[in-house]
mmCIF file with all atom_site columns, all heavy atoms in Angstrom:
data_model
loop_
_atom_site.group_PDB
_atom_site.id
_atom_site.type_symbol
_atom_site.label_atom_id
_atom_site.label_alt_id
_atom_site.label_comp_id
_atom_site.label_asym_id
_atom_site.label_entity_id
_atom_site.label_seq_id
_atom_site.pdbx_PDB_ins_code
_atom_site.Cartn_x
_atom_site.Cartn_y
_atom_site.Cartn_z
_atom_site.occupancy
_atom_site.B_iso_or_equiv
_atom_site.pdbx_formal_charge
_atom_site.auth_seq_id
_atom_site.auth_comp_id
_atom_site.auth_asym_id
_atom_site.auth_atom_id
_atom_site.pdbx_PDB_model_num
ATOM 1   N N   . THR A 1 1  ? 18.712 -44.940 -42.079 1.00 0.00 ? 15 THR A N   1
ATOM 2   C CA  . THR A 1 1  ? 19.500 -43.755 -42.692 1.00 0.00 ? 15 THR A CA  1
ATOM 3   C C   . THR A 1 1  ? 20.749 -44.219 -43.493 1.00 0.00 ? 15 THR A C   1
ATOM 4   O O   . THR A 1 1  ? 21.530 -43.314 -43.811 1.00 0.00 ? 15 THR A O   1
ATOM 5   C CB  . THR A 1 1  ? 19.956 -42.815 -41.506 1.00 0.00 ? 15 THR A CB  1
ATOM 6   O OG1 . THR A 1 1  ? 20.864 -43.536 -40.590 1.00 0.00 ? 15 THR A OG1 1
ATOM 7   C CG2 . THR A 1 1  ? 18.715 -42.292 -40.657 1.00 0.00 ? 15 THR A CG2 1
ATOM 8   N N   . SER A 1 2  ? 20.847 -45.493 -43.790 1.00 0.00 ? 16 SER A N   1
ATOM 9   C CA  . SER A 1 2  ? 21.952 -45.957 -44.587 1.00 0.00 ? 16 SER A CA  1
ATOM 10  C C   . SER A 1 2  ? 21.332 -46.472 -45.940 1.00 0.00 ? 16 SER A C   1
ATOM 11  O O   . SER A 1 2  ? 20.291 -46.925 -45.978 1.00 0.00 ? 16 SER A O   1
ATOM 12  C CB  . SER A 1 2  ? 22.608 -47.047 -43.864 1.00 0.00 ? 16 SER A CB  1
ATOM 13  O OG  . SER A 1 2  ? 23.127 -46.726 -42.684 1.00 0.00 ? 16 SER A OG  1
ATOM 14  N N   . ARG A 1 3  ? 22.227 -46.368 -46.974 1.00 0.00 ? 17 ARG A N   1
ATOM 15  C CA  . ARG A 1 3  ? 21.797 -46.803 -48.203 1.00 0.00 ? 17 ARG A CA  1
ATOM 16  C C   . ARG A 1 3  ? 23.059 -47.217 -49.100 1.00 0.00 ? 17 ARG A C   1
ATOM 17  O O   . ARG A 1 3  ? 24.151 -46.725 -48.753 1.00 0.00 ? 17 ARG A O   1
ATOM 18  C CB  . ARG A 1 3  ? 20.964 -45.827 -49.078 1.00 0.00 ? 17 ARG A CB  1
ATOM 19  C CG  . ARG A 1 3  ? 21.769 -44.669 -49.549 1.00 0.00 ? 17 ARG A CG  1
ATOM 20  C CD  . ARG A 1 3  ? 20.798 -43.666 -50.267 1.00 0.00 ? 17 ARG A CD  1
ATOM 21  N NE  . ARG A 1 3  ? 21.594 -42.623 -50.952 1.00 0.00 ? 17 ARG A NE  1
ATOM 22  C CZ  . ARG A 1 3  ? 22.044 -41.551 -50.363 1.00 0.00 ? 17 ARG A CZ  1
ATOM 23  N NH1 . ARG A 1 3  ? 21.769 -41.385 -49.088 1.00 0.00 ? 17 ARG A NH1 1
ATOM 24  N NH2 . ARG A 1 3  ? 22.706 -40.616 -51.074 1.00 0.00 ? 17 ARG A NH2 1
ATOM 25  N N   . ILE A 1 4  ? 22.854 -48.177 -49.935 1.00 0.00 ? 18 ILE A N   1
ATOM 26  C CA  . ILE A 1 4  ? 23.866 -48.461 -50.957 1.00 0.00 ? 18 ILE A CA  1
ATOM 27  C C   . ILE A 1 4  ? 23.334 -48.189 -52.397 1.00 0.00 ? 18 ILE A C   1
ATOM 28  O O   . ILE A 1 4  ? 22.270 -48.502 -52.623 1.00 0.00 ? 18 ILE A O   1
ATOM 29  C CB  . ILE A 1 4  ? 24.316 -49.991 -50.817 1.00 0.00 ? 18 ILE A CB  1
ATOM 30  C CG1 . ILE A 1 4  ? 25.427 -50.237 -51.847 1.00 0.00 ? 18 ILE A CG1 1
ATOM 31  C CG2 . ILE A 1 4  ? 23.176 -50.961 -51.011 1.00 0.00 ? 18 ILE A CG2 1
ATOM 32  C CD1 . ILE A 1 4  ? 26.150 -51.616 -51.617 1.00 0.00 ? 18 ILE A CD1 1
ATOM 33  N N   . GLU A 1 5  ? 24.209 -47.441 -53.128 1.00 0.00 ? 19 GLU A N   1
ATOM 34  C CA  . GLU A 1 5  ? 23.802 -47.103 -54.505 1.00 0.00 ? 19 GLU A CA  1
ATOM 35  C C   . GLU A 1 5  ? 24.799 -47.780 -55.481 1.00 0.00 ? 19 GLU A C   1
ATOM 36  O O   . GLU A 1 5  ? 25.944 -47.969 -55.192 1.00 0.00 ? 19 GLU A O   1
ATOM 37  C CB  . GLU A 1 5  ? 23.934 -45.552 -54.651 1.00 0.00 ? 19 GLU A CB  1
ATOM 38  C CG  . GLU A 1 5  ? 22.879 -44.814 -53.794 1.00 0.00 ? 19 GLU A CG  1
ATOM 39  C CD  . GLU A 1 5  ? 22.798 -43.278 -54.157 1.00 0.00 ? 19 GLU A CD  1
ATOM 40  O OE1 . GLU A 1 5  ? 23.757 -42.880 -54.753 1.00 0.00 ? 19 GLU A OE1 1
ATOM 41  O OE2 . GLU A 1 5  ? 21.902 -42.587 -53.633 1.00 0.00 ? 19 GLU A OE2 1
ATOM 42  N N   . PHE A 1 6  ? 24.283 -48.195 -56.664 1.00 0.00 ? 20 PHE A N   1
ATOM 43  C CA  . PHE A 1 6  ? 25.060 -48.928 -57.586 1.00 0.00 ? 20 PHE A CA  1
ATOM 44  C C   . PHE A 1 6  ? 25.262 -48.159 -58.872 1.00 0.00 ? 20 PHE A C   1
ATOM 45  O O   . PHE A 1 6  ? 24.387 -47.431 -59.298 1.00 0.00 ? 20 PHE A O   1
ATOM 46  C CB  . PHE A 1 6  ? 24.249 -50.175 -57.952 1.00 0.00 ? 20 PHE A CB  1
ATOM 47  C CG  . PHE A 1 6  ? 23.768 -50.959 -56.833 1.00 0.00 ? 20 PHE A CG  1
ATOM 48  C CD1 . PHE A 1 6  ? 22.419 -51.075 -56.448 1.00 0.00 ? 20 PHE A CD1 1
ATOM 49  C CD2 . PHE A 1 6  ? 24.791 -51.667 -55.992 1.00 0.00 ? 20 PHE A CD2 1
ATOM 50  C CE1 . PHE A 1 6  ? 22.035 -51.742 -55.238 1.00 0.00 ? 20 PHE A CE1 1
ATOM 51  C CE2 . PHE A 1 6  ? 24.353 -52.359 -54.862 1.00 0.00 ? 20 PHE A CE2 1
ATOM 52  C CZ  . PHE A 1 6  ? 22.959 -52.366 -54.587 1.00 0.00 ? 20 PHE A CZ  1
ATOM 53  N N   . THR A 1 7  ? 26.458 -48.311 -59.496 1.00 0.00 ? 21 THR A N   1
ATOM 54  C CA  . THR A 1 7  ? 26.885 -47.758 -60.744 1.00 0.00 ? 21 THR A CA  1
ATOM 55  C C   . THR A 1 7  ? 26.926 -48.852 -61.794 1.00 0.00 ? 21 THR A C   1
ATOM 56  O O   . THR A 1 7  ? 27.559 -49.910 -61.480 1.00 0.00 ? 21 THR A O   1
ATOM 57  C CB  . THR A 1 7  ? 28.287 -47.094 -60.614 1.00 0.00 ? 21 THR A CB  1
ATOM 58  O OG1 . THR A 1 7  ? 28.072 -45.946 -59.660 1.00 0.00 ? 21 THR A OG1 1
ATOM 59  C CG2 . THR A 1 7  ? 28.605 -46.461 -61.937 1.00 0.00 ? 21 THR A CG2 1
ATOM 60  N N   . TYR A 1 8  ? 26.334 -48.730 -62.955 1.00 0.00 ? 22 TYR A N   1
ATOM 61  C CA  . TYR A 1 8  ? 26.324 -49.734 -63.864 1.00 0.00 ? 22 TYR A CA  1
ATOM 62  C C   . TYR A 1 8  ? 27.009 -49.326 -65.242 1.00 0.00 ? 22 TYR A C   1
ATOM 63  O O   . TYR A 1 8  ? 27.066 -48.055 -65.546 1.00 0.00 ? 22 TYR A O   1
ATOM 64  C CB  . TYR A 1 8  ? 24.859 -49.990 -64.322 1.00 0.00 ? 22 TYR A CB  1
ATOM 65  C CG  . TYR A 1 8  ? 23.995 -50.705 -63.185 1.00 0.00 ? 22 TYR A CG  1
ATOM 66  C CD1 . TYR A 1 8  ? 23.405 -49.858 -62.274 1.00 0.00 ? 22 TYR A CD1 1
ATOM 67  C CD2 . TYR A 1 8  ? 23.846 -52.014 -63.185 1.00 0.00 ? 22 TYR A CD2 1
ATOM 68  C CE1 . TYR A 1 8  ? 22.575 -50.465 -61.345 1.00 0.00 ? 22 TYR A CE1 1
ATOM 69  C CE2 . TYR A 1 8  ? 22.926 -52.597 -62.199 1.00 0.00 ? 22 TYR A CE2 1
ATOM 70  C CZ  . TYR A 1 8  ? 22.388 -51.808 -61.263 1.00 0.00 ? 22 TYR A CZ  1
ATOM 71  O OH  . TYR A 1 8  ? 21.582 -52.303 -60.368 1.00 0.00 ? 22 TYR A OH  1
ATOM 72  N N   . GLU A 1 9  ? 27.461 -50.299 -65.972 1.00 0.00 ? 23 GLU A N   1
ATOM 73  C CA  . GLU A 1 9  ? 27.711 -50.265 -67.345 1.00 0.00 ? 23 GLU A CA  1
ATOM 74  C C   . GLU A 1 9  ? 27.003 -51.366 -68.002 1.00 0.00 ? 23 GLU A C   1
ATOM 75  O O   . GLU A 1 9  ? 27.296 -52.558 -67.873 1.00 0.00 ? 23 GLU A O   1
ATOM 76  C CB  . GLU A 1 9  ? 29.250 -50.454 -67.706 1.00 0.00 ? 23 GLU A CB  1
ATOM 77  C CG  . GLU A 1 9  ? 30.101 -49.272 -67.269 1.00 0.00 ? 23 GLU A CG  1
ATOM 78  C CD  . GLU A 1 9  ? 31.516 -49.473 -67.664 1.00 0.00 ? 23 GLU A CD  1
ATOM 79  O OE1 . GLU A 1 9  ? 31.843 -50.482 -68.337 1.00 0.00 ? 23 GLU A OE1 1
ATOM 80  O OE2 . GLU A 1 9  ? 32.399 -48.599 -67.313 1.00 0.00 ? 23 GLU A OE2 1
ATOM 81  N N   . GLY A 1 10 ? 25.930 -50.925 -68.679 1.00 0.00 ? 24 GLY A N   1
ATOM 82  C CA  . GLY A 1 10 ? 24.850 -51.896 -69.112 1.00 0.00 ? 24 GLY A CA  1
ATOM 83  C C   . GLY A 1 10 ? 24.183 -52.598 -67.987 1.00 0.00 ? 24 GLY A C   1
ATOM 84  O O   . GLY A 1 10 ? 23.724 -51.894 -67.066 1.00 0.00 ? 24 GLY A O   1
ATOM 85  N N   . ASP A 1 11 ? 24.295 -53.872 -67.901 1.00 0.00 ? 25 ASP A N   1
ATOM 86  C CA  . ASP A 1 11 ? 23.800 -54.632 -66.719 1.00 0.00 ? 25 ASP A CA  1
ATOM 87  C C   . ASP A 1 11 ? 24.825 -54.903 -65.645 1.00 0.00 ? 25 ASP A C   1
ATOM 88  O O   . ASP A 1 11 ? 24.479 -55.500 -64.663 1.00 0.00 ? 25 ASP A O   1
ATOM 89  C CB  . ASP A 1 11 ? 23.050 -55.891 -67.195 1.00 0.00 ? 25 ASP A CB  1
ATOM 90  C CG  . ASP A 1 11 ? 21.835 -55.669 -67.842 1.00 0.00 ? 25 ASP A CG  1
ATOM 91  O OD1 . ASP A 1 11 ? 21.114 -54.695 -67.663 1.00 0.00 ? 25 ASP A OD1 1
ATOM 92  O OD2 . ASP A 1 11 ? 21.398 -56.482 -68.835 1.00 0.00 ? 25 ASP A OD2 1
ATOM 93  N N   . LYS A 1 12 ? 26.098 -54.632 -65.971 1.00 0.00 ? 26 LYS A N   1
ATOM 94  C CA  . LYS A 1 12 ? 27.204 -54.923 -65.027 1.00 0.00 ? 26 LYS A CA  1
ATOM 95  C C   . LYS A 1 12 ? 27.344 -53.818 -63.996 1.00 0.00 ? 26 LYS A C   1
ATOM 96  O O   . LYS A 1 12 ? 27.344 -52.670 -64.391 1.00 0.00 ? 26 LYS A O   1
ATOM 97  C CB  . LYS A 1 12 ? 28.428 -55.074 -65.775 1.00 0.00 ? 26 LYS A CB  1
ATOM 98  C CG  . LYS A 1 12 ? 28.510 -56.374 -66.656 1.00 0.00 ? 26 LYS A CG  1
ATOM 99  C CD  . LYS A 1 12 ? 29.923 -56.400 -67.291 1.00 0.00 ? 26 LYS A CD  1
ATOM 100 C CE  . LYS A 1 12 ? 30.079 -57.633 -68.137 1.00 0.00 ? 26 LYS A CE  1
ATOM 101 N NZ  . LYS A 1 12 ? 31.396 -57.598 -68.795 1.00 0.00 ? 26 LYS A NZ  1
ATOM 102 N N   . ILE A 1 13 ? 27.485 -54.240 -62.761 1.00 0.00 ? 27 ILE A N   1
ATOM 103 C CA  . ILE A 1 13 ? 27.827 -53.223 -61.688 1.00 0.00 ? 27 ILE A CA  1
ATOM 104 C C   . ILE A 1 13 ? 29.336 -53.057 -61.798 1.00 0.00 ? 27 ILE A C   1
ATOM 105 O O   . ILE A 1 13 ? 30.046 -53.978 -61.725 1.00 0.00 ? 27 ILE A O   1
ATOM 106 C CB  . ILE A 1 13 ? 27.276 -53.774 -60.384 1.00 0.00 ? 27 ILE A CB  1
ATOM 107 C CG1 . ILE A 1 13 ? 25.797 -53.768 -60.225 1.00 0.00 ? 27 ILE A CG1 1
ATOM 108 C CG2 . ILE A 1 13 ? 27.877 -52.870 -59.336 1.00 0.00 ? 27 ILE A CG2 1
ATOM 109 C CD1 . ILE A 1 13 ? 25.297 -54.323 -58.919 1.00 0.00 ? 27 ILE A CD1 1
ATOM 110 N N   . THR A 1 14 ? 29.633 -51.694 -61.761 1.00 0.00 ? 28 THR A N   1
ATOM 111 C CA  . THR A 1 14 ? 31.108 -51.415 -61.766 1.00 0.00 ? 28 THR A CA  1
ATOM 112 C C   . THR A 1 14 ? 31.478 -50.891 -60.391 1.00 0.00 ? 28 THR A C   1
ATOM 113 O O   . THR A 1 14 ? 32.706 -50.870 -60.117 1.00 0.00 ? 28 THR A O   1
ATOM 114 C CB  . THR A 1 14 ? 31.438 -50.372 -62.824 1.00 0.00 ? 28 THR A CB  1
ATOM 115 O OG1 . THR A 1 14 ? 30.562 -49.238 -62.681 1.00 0.00 ? 28 THR A OG1 1
ATOM 116 C CG2 . THR A 1 14 ? 31.172 -50.958 -64.268 1.00 0.00 ? 28 THR A CG2 1
ATOM 117 N N   . ALA A 1 15 ? 30.526 -50.306 -59.603 1.00 0.00 ? 29 ALA A N   1
ATOM 118 C CA  . ALA A 1 15 ? 30.934 -49.792 -58.343 1.00 0.00 ? 29 ALA A CA  1
ATOM 119 C C   . ALA A 1 15 ? 29.620 -49.659 -57.473 1.00 0.00 ? 29 ALA A C   1
ATOM 120 O O   . ALA A 1 15 ? 28.557 -49.627 -57.999 1.00 0.00 ? 29 ALA A O   1
ATOM 121 C CB  . ALA A 1 15 ? 31.522 -48.311 -58.489 1.00 0.00 ? 29 ALA A CB  1
ATOM 122 N N   . SER A 1 16 ? 29.869 -49.653 -56.213 1.00 0.00 ? 30 SER A N   1
ATOM 123 C CA  . SER A 1 16 ? 28.738 -49.464 -55.193 1.00 0.00 ? 30 SER A CA  1
ATOM 124 C C   . SER A 1 16 ? 29.244 -48.514 -54.160 1.00 0.00 ? 30 SER A C   1
ATOM 125 O O   . SER A 1 16 ? 30.392 -48.541 -53.683 1.00 0.00 ? 30 SER A O   1
ATOM 126 C CB  . SER A 1 16 ? 28.219 -50.660 -54.650 1.00 0.00 ? 30 SER A CB  1
ATOM 127 O OG  . SER A 1 16 ? 29.223 -51.354 -53.886 1.00 0.00 ? 30 SER A OG  1
ATOM 128 N N   . ASN A 1 17 ? 28.361 -47.614 -53.724 1.00 0.00 ? 31 ASN A N   1
ATOM 129 C CA  . ASN A 1 17 ? 28.716 -46.581 -52.669 1.00 0.00 ? 31 ASN A CA  1
ATOM 130 C C   . ASN A 1 17 ? 27.742 -46.698 -51.541 1.00 0.00 ? 31 ASN A C   1
ATOM 131 O O   . ASN A 1 17 ? 26.571 -46.774 -51.742 1.00 0.00 ? 31 ASN A O   1
ATOM 132 C CB  . ASN A 1 17 ? 28.694 -45.139 -53.248 1.00 0.00 ? 31 ASN A CB  1
ATOM 133 C CG  . ASN A 1 17 ? 29.652 -44.901 -54.316 1.00 0.00 ? 31 ASN A CG  1
ATOM 134 O OD1 . ASN A 1 17 ? 30.788 -45.416 -54.384 1.00 0.00 ? 31 ASN A OD1 1
ATOM 135 N ND2 . ASN A 1 17 ? 29.227 -44.218 -55.320 1.00 0.00 ? 31 ASN A ND2 1
ATOM 136 N N   . VAL A 1 18 ? 28.259 -46.793 -50.364 1.00 0.00 ? 32 VAL A N   1
ATOM 137 C CA  . VAL A 1 18 ? 27.466 -46.751 -49.173 1.00 0.00 ? 32 VAL A CA  1
ATOM 138 C C   . VAL A 1 18 ? 27.435 -45.469 -48.506 1.00 0.00 ? 32 VAL A C   1
ATOM 139 O O   . VAL A 1 18 ? 28.507 -44.790 -48.236 1.00 0.00 ? 32 VAL A O   1
ATOM 140 C CB  . VAL A 1 18 ? 28.093 -47.860 -48.048 1.00 0.00 ? 32 VAL A CB  1
ATOM 141 C CG1 . VAL A 1 18 ? 27.321 -47.749 -46.769 1.00 0.00 ? 32 VAL A CG1 1
ATOM 142 C CG2 . VAL A 1 18 ? 27.900 -49.267 -48.684 1.00 0.00 ? 32 VAL A CG2 1
ATOM 143 N N   . TYR A 1 19 ? 26.221 -44.964 -48.168 1.00 0.00 ? 33 TYR A N   1
ATOM 144 C CA  . TYR A 1 19 ? 25.969 -43.638 -47.479 1.00 0.00 ? 33 TYR A CA  1
ATOM 145 C C   . TYR A 1 19 ? 25.365 -43.941 -46.184 1.00 0.00 ? 33 TYR A C   1
ATOM 146 O O   . TYR A 1 19 ? 24.491 -44.720 -46.061 1.00 0.00 ? 33 TYR A O   1
ATOM 147 C CB  . TYR A 1 19 ? 25.147 -42.749 -48.295 1.00 0.00 ? 33 TYR A CB  1
ATOM 148 C CG  . TYR A 1 19 ? 25.782 -42.375 -49.686 1.00 0.00 ? 33 TYR A CG  1
ATOM 149 C CD1 . TYR A 1 19 ? 25.740 -43.232 -50.761 1.00 0.00 ? 33 TYR A CD1 1
ATOM 150 C CD2 . TYR A 1 19 ? 26.497 -41.148 -49.894 1.00 0.00 ? 33 TYR A CD2 1
ATOM 151 C CE1 . TYR A 1 19 ? 26.235 -42.858 -51.994 1.00 0.00 ? 33 TYR A CE1 1
ATOM 152 C CE2 . TYR A 1 19 ? 26.977 -40.816 -51.035 1.00 0.00 ? 33 TYR A CE2 1
ATOM 153 C CZ  . TYR A 1 19 ? 26.909 -41.625 -52.095 1.00 0.00 ? 33 TYR A CZ  1
ATOM 154 O OH  . TYR A 1 19 ? 27.510 -41.349 -53.402 1.00 0.00 ? 33 TYR A OH  1
ATOM 155 N N   . VAL A 1 20 ? 25.870 -43.160 -45.153 1.00 0.00 ? 34 VAL A N   1
ATOM 156 C CA  . VAL A 1 20 ? 25.161 -43.101 -43.878 1.00 0.00 ? 34 VAL A CA  1
ATOM 157 C C   . VAL A 1 20 ? 24.860 -41.716 -43.548 1.00 0.00 ? 34 VAL A C   1
ATOM 158 O O   . VAL A 1 20 ? 25.742 -40.791 -43.611 1.00 0.00 ? 34 VAL A O   1
ATOM 159 C CB  . VAL A 1 20 ? 26.190 -43.725 -42.823 1.00 0.00 ? 34 VAL A CB  1
ATOM 160 C CG1 . VAL A 1 20 ? 25.500 -43.642 -41.425 1.00 0.00 ? 34 VAL A CG1 1
ATOM 161 C CG2 . VAL A 1 20 ? 26.579 -45.151 -43.180 1.00 0.00 ? 34 VAL A CG2 1
ATOM 162 N N   . ASN A 1 21 ? 23.644 -41.414 -43.289 1.00 0.00 ? 35 ASN A N   1
ATOM 163 C CA  . ASN A 1 21 ? 23.093 -40.047 -43.141 1.00 0.00 ? 35 ASN A CA  1
ATOM 164 C C   . ASN A 1 21 ? 23.562 -39.104 -44.295 1.00 0.00 ? 35 ASN A C   1
ATOM 165 O O   . ASN A 1 21 ? 23.951 -37.955 -44.055 1.00 0.00 ? 35 ASN A O   1
ATOM 166 C CB  . ASN A 1 21 ? 23.653 -39.467 -41.741 1.00 0.00 ? 35 ASN A CB  1
ATOM 167 C CG  . ASN A 1 21 ? 22.975 -40.213 -40.533 1.00 0.00 ? 35 ASN A CG  1
ATOM 168 O OD1 . ASN A 1 21 ? 21.804 -40.511 -40.545 1.00 0.00 ? 35 ASN A OD1 1
ATOM 169 N ND2 . ASN A 1 21 ? 23.880 -40.448 -39.589 1.00 0.00 ? 35 ASN A ND2 1
ATOM 170 N N   . ASN A 1 22 ? 23.446 -39.694 -45.435 1.00 0.00 ? 36 ASN A N   1
ATOM 171 C CA  . ASN A 1 22 ? 23.838 -38.996 -46.676 1.00 0.00 ? 36 ASN A CA  1
ATOM 172 C C   . ASN A 1 22 ? 25.211 -38.587 -46.889 1.00 0.00 ? 36 ASN A C   1
ATOM 173 O O   . ASN A 1 22 ? 25.646 -37.772 -47.701 1.00 0.00 ? 36 ASN A O   1
ATOM 174 C CB  . ASN A 1 22 ? 22.900 -37.704 -46.807 1.00 0.00 ? 36 ASN A CB  1
ATOM 175 C CG  . ASN A 1 22 ? 21.465 -38.071 -47.099 1.00 0.00 ? 36 ASN A CG  1
ATOM 176 O OD1 . ASN A 1 22 ? 21.171 -38.956 -47.901 1.00 0.00 ? 36 ASN A OD1 1
ATOM 177 N ND2 . ASN A 1 22 ? 20.572 -37.320 -46.508 1.00 0.00 ? 36 ASN A ND2 1
ATOM 178 N N   . VAL A 1 23 ? 26.091 -39.216 -46.092 1.00 0.00 ? 37 VAL A N   1
ATOM 179 C CA  . VAL A 1 23 ? 27.526 -38.965 -46.041 1.00 0.00 ? 37 VAL A CA  1
ATOM 180 C C   . VAL A 1 23 ? 28.207 -40.261 -46.617 1.00 0.00 ? 37 VAL A C   1
ATOM 181 O O   . VAL A 1 23 ? 27.936 -41.383 -46.146 1.00 0.00 ? 37 VAL A O   1
ATOM 182 C CB  . VAL A 1 23 ? 28.115 -38.628 -44.850 1.00 0.00 ? 37 VAL A CB  1
ATOM 183 C CG1 . VAL A 1 23 ? 29.650 -38.485 -44.819 1.00 0.00 ? 37 VAL A CG1 1
ATOM 184 C CG2 . VAL A 1 23 ? 27.522 -37.299 -44.280 1.00 0.00 ? 37 VAL A CG2 1
ATOM 185 N N   . LEU A 1 24 ? 29.061 -40.150 -47.667 1.00 0.00 ? 38 LEU A N   1
ATOM 186 C CA  . LEU A 1 24 ? 29.689 -41.277 -48.219 1.00 0.00 ? 38 LEU A CA  1
ATOM 187 C C   . LEU A 1 24 ? 30.524 -42.008 -47.139 1.00 0.00 ? 38 LEU A C   1
ATOM 188 O O   . LEU A 1 24 ? 31.400 -41.352 -46.554 1.00 0.00 ? 38 LEU A O   1
ATOM 189 C CB  . LEU A 1 24 ? 30.548 -40.973 -49.450 1.00 0.00 ? 38 LEU A CB  1
ATOM 190 C CG  . LEU A 1 24 ? 31.244 -42.088 -50.147 1.00 0.00 ? 38 LEU A CG  1
ATOM 191 C CD1 . LEU A 1 24 ? 30.316 -43.045 -50.778 1.00 0.00 ? 38 LEU A CD1 1
ATOM 192 C CD2 . LEU A 1 24 ? 32.184 -41.496 -51.138 1.00 0.00 ? 38 LEU A CD2 1
ATOM 193 N N   . SER A 1 25 ? 30.303 -43.352 -46.941 1.00 0.00 ? 39 SER A N   1
ATOM 194 C CA  . SER A 1 25 ? 31.033 -44.116 -45.920 1.00 0.00 ? 39 SER A CA  1
ATOM 195 C C   . SER A 1 25 ? 31.964 -45.095 -46.537 1.00 0.00 ? 39 SER A C   1
ATOM 196 O O   . SER A 1 25 ? 33.092 -45.259 -45.987 1.00 0.00 ? 39 SER A O   1
ATOM 197 C CB  . SER A 1 25 ? 29.983 -44.852 -45.073 1.00 0.00 ? 39 SER A CB  1
ATOM 198 O OG  . SER A 1 25 ? 30.635 -45.767 -44.202 1.00 0.00 ? 39 SER A OG  1
ATOM 199 N N   . SER A 1 26 ? 31.634 -45.710 -47.644 1.00 0.00 ? 40 SER A N   1
ATOM 200 C CA  . SER A 1 26 ? 32.625 -46.604 -48.263 1.00 0.00 ? 40 SER A CA  1
ATOM 201 C C   . SER A 1 26 ? 32.246 -46.840 -49.750 1.00 0.00 ? 40 SER A C   1
ATOM 202 O O   . SER A 1 26 ? 31.138 -46.566 -50.160 1.00 0.00 ? 40 SER A O   1
ATOM 203 C CB  . SER A 1 26 ? 32.572 -47.962 -47.455 1.00 0.00 ? 40 SER A CB  1
ATOM 204 O OG  . SER A 1 26 ? 31.376 -48.618 -47.665 1.00 0.00 ? 40 SER A OG  1
ATOM 205 N N   . THR A 1 27 ? 33.252 -47.301 -50.448 1.00 0.00 ? 41 THR A N   1
ATOM 206 C CA  . THR A 1 27 ? 33.027 -47.611 -51.906 1.00 0.00 ? 41 THR A CA  1
ATOM 207 C C   . THR A 1 27 ? 33.631 -49.008 -52.186 1.00 0.00 ? 41 THR A C   1
ATOM 208 O O   . THR A 1 27 ? 34.473 -49.463 -51.567 1.00 0.00 ? 41 THR A O   1
ATOM 209 C CB  . THR A 1 27 ? 33.708 -46.597 -52.826 1.00 0.00 ? 41 THR A CB  1
ATOM 210 O OG1 . THR A 1 27 ? 35.139 -46.722 -52.632 1.00 0.00 ? 41 THR A OG1 1
ATOM 211 C CG2 . THR A 1 27 ? 33.290 -45.186 -52.515 1.00 0.00 ? 41 THR A CG2 1
ATOM 212 N N   . SER A 1 28 ? 32.971 -49.701 -53.083 1.00 0.00 ? 42 SER A N   1
ATOM 213 C CA  . SER A 1 28 ? 33.487 -51.029 -53.622 1.00 0.00 ? 42 SER A CA  1
ATOM 214 C C   . SER A 1 28 ? 33.568 -51.078 -55.214 1.00 0.00 ? 42 SER A C   1
ATOM 215 O O   . SER A 1 28 ? 32.838 -50.435 -55.852 1.00 0.00 ? 42 SER A O   1
ATOM 216 C CB  . SER A 1 28 ? 32.574 -52.128 -53.136 1.00 0.00 ? 42 SER A CB  1
ATOM 217 O OG  . SER A 1 28 ? 32.552 -52.200 -51.725 1.00 0.00 ? 42 SER A OG  1
ATOM 218 N N   . ASP A 1 29 ? 34.644 -51.673 -55.672 1.00 0.00 ? 43 ASP A N   1
ATOM 219 C CA  . ASP A 1 29 ? 34.966 -51.741 -57.068 1.00 0.00 ? 43 ASP A CA  1
ATOM 220 C C   . ASP A 1 29 ? 34.746 -53.206 -57.556 1.00 0.00 ? 43 ASP A C   1
ATOM 221 O O   . ASP A 1 29 ? 35.130 -54.220 -56.790 1.00 0.00 ? 43 ASP A O   1
ATOM 222 C CB  . ASP A 1 29 ? 36.297 -51.248 -57.442 1.00 0.00 ? 43 ASP A CB  1
ATOM 223 C CG  . ASP A 1 29 ? 36.460 -49.786 -57.096 1.00 0.00 ? 43 ASP A CG  1
ATOM 224 O OD1 . ASP A 1 29 ? 35.558 -48.978 -57.360 1.00 0.00 ? 43 ASP A OD1 1
ATOM 225 O OD2 . ASP A 1 29 ? 37.570 -49.480 -56.516 1.00 0.00 ? 43 ASP A OD2 1
ATOM 226 N N   . TYR A 1 30 ? 34.265 -53.367 -58.777 1.00 0.00 ? 44 TYR A N   1
ATOM 227 C CA  . TYR A 1 30 ? 33.968 -54.730 -59.237 1.00 0.00 ? 44 TYR A CA  1
ATOM 228 C C   . TYR A 1 30 ? 34.807 -55.023 -60.473 1.00 0.00 ? 44 TYR A C   1
ATOM 229 O O   . TYR A 1 30 ? 34.899 -54.156 -61.448 1.00 0.00 ? 44 TYR A O   1
ATOM 230 C CB  . TYR A 1 30 ? 32.516 -54.857 -59.635 1.00 0.00 ? 44 TYR A CB  1
ATOM 231 C CG  . TYR A 1 30 ? 31.697 -54.557 -58.415 1.00 0.00 ? 44 TYR A CG  1
ATOM 232 C CD1 . TYR A 1 30 ? 31.388 -53.241 -57.933 1.00 0.00 ? 44 TYR A CD1 1
ATOM 233 C CD2 . TYR A 1 30 ? 31.038 -55.520 -57.699 1.00 0.00 ? 44 TYR A CD2 1
ATOM 234 C CE1 . TYR A 1 30 ? 30.592 -52.962 -56.947 1.00 0.00 ? 44 TYR A CE1 1
ATOM 235 C CE2 . TYR A 1 30 ? 30.230 -55.305 -56.572 1.00 0.00 ? 44 TYR A CE2 1
ATOM 236 C CZ  . TYR A 1 30 ? 30.039 -54.014 -56.184 1.00 0.00 ? 44 TYR A CZ  1
ATOM 237 O OH  . TYR A 1 30 ? 29.224 -53.700 -55.079 1.00 0.00 ? 44 TYR A OH  1
ATOM 238 N N   . THR A 1 31 ? 35.356 -56.211 -60.537 1.00 0.00 ? 45 THR A N   1
ATOM 239 C CA  . THR A 1 31 ? 36.282 -56.589 -61.605 1.00 0.00 ? 45 THR A CA  1
ATOM 240 C C   . THR A 1 31 ? 35.670 -57.814 -62.405 1.00 0.00 ? 45 THR A C   1
ATOM 241 O O   . THR A 1 31 ? 35.245 -58.803 -61.673 1.00 0.00 ? 45 THR A O   1
ATOM 242 C CB  . THR A 1 31 ? 37.759 -56.946 -61.196 1.00 0.00 ? 45 THR A CB  1
ATOM 243 O OG1 . THR A 1 31 ? 38.246 -55.804 -60.455 1.00 0.00 ? 45 THR A OG1 1
ATOM 244 C CG2 . THR A 1 31 ? 38.650 -57.309 -62.373 1.00 0.00 ? 45 THR A CG2 1
#
């Protein structure tokens, strides 16, 4: 019931979000 989703700019990942039971649990930012 957990998943991580990725946000891109081109091929670069700029952020990722972790969801548990479809509820946002944590976010990560990439530099």
Side-chain angles (χ1 to χ4, degrees):
T15 60
S16 301
R17 73 182 187 277
I18 181 169
E19 296 185 348
F20 309 108
T21 301
Y22 293 86
E23 287 185 3
D25 288 330
K26 290 182 180 178
I27 292 178
T28 56
S30 59
N31 298 323
V32 172
Y33 295 84
V34 181
N35 294 318
N36 292 319
V37 177
L38 181 64
S39 174
S40 65
T41 64
S42 295
D43 296 320
Y44 302 78
T45 302

